Amino acid sequence: MSVQIPFDNTYARLPDRFFTRMTPEPVAAPELIRVNHTLAAELGIDGASLESAEGIAILAGNAVAEGSEPLAQAYAGHQFGGFSPQLGDGRAILLGEVVGQYGRRDIQLKGSGPTPFSRRGDGRAALGPVLREYVVSEAMAALGLPTTRALAAVTTGETVRRERLLPGAIFTRVASSHLRVGTFQFFAARGDTEGVKILADYAIARHYPEAATAEKPYRTFFESVIRAQAELIARWLHIGFIHGVMNTDNTTISGETIDFGPCAFMDDYDSRRVLSSIDHQGRYAYGNQPNIGFWNLTRLAESLLTLLGENEEKAVDEAKAALEAYVPCFQTAYDDGLCRKLGLSPGEENTAAAHALLTLMGEHAADFTLTFRSLADAQTPAGEAPLRALFGGASASLDEWLARWRQRLDAEPTTAEERRTAMRAENPAFIPRNHIMERVIAAATDSGNFTPFGAFMEVLSKPYEDQPGREDYSLPPQPEERVLQTFCGT
Ligand code: AMP
Ligand code: MG
């Protein structure tokens, strides 16, 4: 069966300085880990063909599919606040684009060998981080968040050297594009105003076509990115997600979550929580993510200045005026979402009730995900035992909060049953818990056992459904299972 990927490439038509054309570096003995058949079908690709020898060769970078125009993209970026004028695809190759059921998508190999952007890196990926990205990006999609996706993963039959020798793997990523804030910074930092304009026009055509006919196309484009990022970060907070490495090169123009290196979901709630081993200052702590979003968008504004006004002063005024939308946009998305999690209509007092619950959760080290999940049944005292248990039993402050929350529920136009359904659709039972992720990675890395990976994927595909017999997956770690740090593991 021959592999047919309906490539329709546009990035490869951009000027040469946007990328380096090159093919992936072949690997010794690729073997398939998994193909995402649902996603393949959405992209107009026969998933079964990707499982053939030819398909695996393409997914490993050992063969170039017909119509593919492989290239490594150039970009720059602020990493932990410090600017690197040249980053780029150091271990990734864009194979090309397809127009699927939901629009244009990039297909990219990650871990496919060195490129001119590799700097000191080996261009490769270890199996653990590949599985983490597969699991977490697909979990995010099932949770309903904008995210890059996993089309496939293969092992390479080679090892990569990290702290120790690890099995190598290659991940096939699908994204609505790989345009980043850092892509704009790449051209702006070189004073390449023409490059910035070409990129902005490309981004508008690809992601925000309505901006093209607006009175001020580039201002409208910038505002669209601001809105997409503000809403994305609000949704991260709603599900307890800590991205971990919100550098400007990991901040998409599309508003999709990208880069799942040291990311983690919170178990017990603490807004200052940091899990990434490289985030010493807490720059990317859970509760600091909205601030960093603003910081990153300010860097985008700087890169767009030549397009925003006829002189610098006017452009800065335009940028500042656009950025003013960020805080209210984030706050509304965040607060309204919190109210929905509580079964309440949006509003100031309901928002205050939600924030009061978060404070209580922090004081009691209550599990973030399970607290919200248990609320649907805690509308009446008869169903409050699971919630109570998360707060360590008797708690006068929880009693008080529950009493006030129930009064608010009484003021809602909905029935208790309607709210129960709505709340369960907002508050997942299953998230990719770190301690389970570690077990999945250890089984695959140490014993070549991918069964736990498959089982985890299955559970996470239905995060809002109760799954009898799989309750273990919903539980927080035992003290000895707690993951205190996550590693980028590049
Ligand atoms: P990341 O931390 O994955 O966002 O990557 C930041 C930058 O480092 C990007 O330019 C990557 O391409 C590059 N990079 C990360 N890991 C490697 C690697 N193993 N080999 C070459 N470049 C890498
Ligand atoms: Mg990155």
Side-chain angles (χ1 to χ4, degrees):
M1 171 187 346
S2 84
V3 179
Q4 288 178 7
I5 303 176
F7 282 111
D8 174 31
N9 306 327
T10 58
Y11 209 82
R13 305 277 88 75
L14 291 173
D16 285 347
R17 61 191 190 281
F18 280 60
F19 50 76
T20 299
R21 288 185 203 276
M22 57 175 301
T23 50
E25 179 84 16
V27 296
E31 278 182 45
L32 185 68
I33 301 172
R34 194 178 177 92
V35 165
N36 183 339
H37 285 262
T38 314
L39 181 60
E42 283 171 22
L43 299 175
I45 303 168
D46 175 8
S49 75
L50 293 178
E51 294 176 332
S52 67
E54 185 195 349
I56 295 169
I58 291 168
L59 298 172
N62 286 10
V64 176
E66 200 186 320
S68 168
E69 295 171 272
L71 57 88
Q73 291 178 313
Y75 56 86
H78 276 89
Q79 300 179 304
F80 290 90
F83 186 61
S84 287
Q86 179 157 319
L87 294 170
D89 285 336
R91 54 162 169 172
I93 296 278
L94 178 69
L95 297 183
E97 301 144 41
V98 298
V99 180
Q101 218 170 314
Y102 301 105
R104 179 171 297 278
R105 294 290 183 273
D106 277 4
I107 302 180
Q108 189 206 59
L109 297 185
K110 191 169 168 186
S112 49
T115 77
F117 304 107
S118 296
R119 294 173 293 158
R120 286 174 304 281
D122 59 4
R124 293 297 181 189
L127 176 58
V130 165
L131 293 181
R132 179 190 295 275
E133 177 153 359
Y134 203 124
V135 167
V136 183
S137 63
E138 286 304 297
M140 291 291 256
L143 286 162
L145 275 78
T147 179
T148 64
R149 301 288 305 270
L151 179 61
V154 298
T155 51
T156 58
E158 299 177 358
T159 52
V160 293
R161 183 172 289 284
R162 296 296 181 259
E163 302 85 43
R164 56 182 174 122
L165 278 184
L166 293 165
I170 298 176
F171 180 72
T172 307
R173 177 157 70 187
V174 169
S176 72
S177 85
H178 284 85
L179 301 179
R180 310 144 191 269
V181 168
T183 321
F184 284 89
Q185 291 181 292
F186 179 85
F187 297 103
R190 284 160 180 72
D192 182 355
T193 52
E194 194 207 358
V196 172
K197 183 176 183 312
I198 292 169
L199 184 64
D201 290 337
Y202 180 82
I204 288 172
R206 193 155 170 181
H207 294 296
Y208 305 104
E210 64 289 348
T213 51
E215 197 190 325
K216 297 176 178 172
Y218 300 114
R219 161 110 185 234
T220 303
F221 161 64
F222 181 42
E223 286 171 344
S224 306
V225 181
I226 290 172
R227 203 173 316 114
Q229 281 293 331
E231 288 172 359
L232 175 68
I233 294 168
R235 299 191 70 183
W236 287 353
L237 298 199
H238 292 148
I239 55 164
F241 180 72
I242 310 170
H243 183 282
V245 59
M246 288 176 72
N247 295 333
T248 56
D249 54 304
N250 294 332
T251 304
T252 56
I253 296 304
S254 65
E256 285 180 341
T257 312
I258 196 170
D259 210 312
F260 298 86
C263 69
F265 282 74
M266 245 187 329
D267 294 309
D268 60 295
Y269 175 74
D270 177 356
S271 71
R272 293 158 305 177
R273 180 66 39 80
V274 177
L275 282 143
S276 166
S277 63
I278 52 174
D279 188 0
H280 306 294
Q281 312 285 324
R283 179 180 173 90
Y284 300 142
Y286 171 81
N288 205 34
Q289 297 181 112
N291 295 330
I292 293 295
F294 185 83
W295 195 90
N296 290 345
L297 289 162
T298 307
R299 304 289 83 76
L300 177 60
E302 289 164 0
S303 304
L304 293 175
L305 281 182
T306 50
L307 299 176
L308 288 173
E310 67 225 34
N311 59 47
E312 185 163 340
E313 197 188 334
K314 284 200 177 130
V316 169
D317 286 345
E318 290 281 329
K320 280 187 176 158
L323 279 166
E324 272 174 27
Y326 178 81
V327 171
C329 182
F330 165 77
Q331 206 64 49
T332 305
Y334 177 59
D335 290 345
D336 292 3
L338 279 182
C339 289
R340 282 197 304 277
K341 287 173 82 71
L342 263 56
L344 299 172
S345 312
E348 212 170 301
E349 290 183 14
N350 289 344
T351 298
H355 286 276
L357 177 63
L358 289 173
T359 303
L360 278 185
M361 284 162 63
E363 286 164 8
H364 291 76
D367 185 79
F368 181 86
T369 305
L370 292 184
T371 296
F372 283 110
R373 182 67 175 180
S374 65
L375 283 177
D377 288 328
Q379 294 187 77
T380 60
E384 72 185 29
L387 173 66
R388 192 165 287 289
L390 298 166
F391 284 73
S395 159
S397 46
L398 180 63
D399 289 342
E400 217 174 285
W401 185 85
L402 278 170
R404 270 192 264 136
W405 174 56
R406 286 175 186 147
Q407 280 173 3
R408 302 202 160 277
L409 292 176
D410 288 340
E412 290 292 321
T414 44
T415 66
E417 198 44 44
E418 284 166 351
R419 285 193 297 272
R420 184 170 185 278
T421 305
M423 287 165 75
R424 286 163 54 85
E426 295 287 341
N427 298 312
F430 299 98
I431 50 152
R433 299 246 180 207
N434 304 319
H435 65 291
I436 304 178
M437 193 69 238
E438 295 298 318
R439 281 211 300 265
V440 162
I441 290 174
T445 299
D446 302 337
S447 354
N449 177 8
F450 290 89
T451 309
F453 165 64
F456 202 24
M457 289 295 301
E458 175 67 28
V459 168
L460 293 169
S461 68
K462 296 174 223 119
Y464 297 102
E465 289 177 26
D466 290 332
Q467 299 184 41
R470 289 164 165 176
E471 290 80 5
D472 276 6
Y473 286 95
S474 73
L475 299 178
Q478 297 295 319
E480 70 280 8
E481 292 175 320
R482 276 188 74 130
V483 175
L484 301 175
Q485 274 196 333
T486 52
F487 298 90
C488 224
T490 55

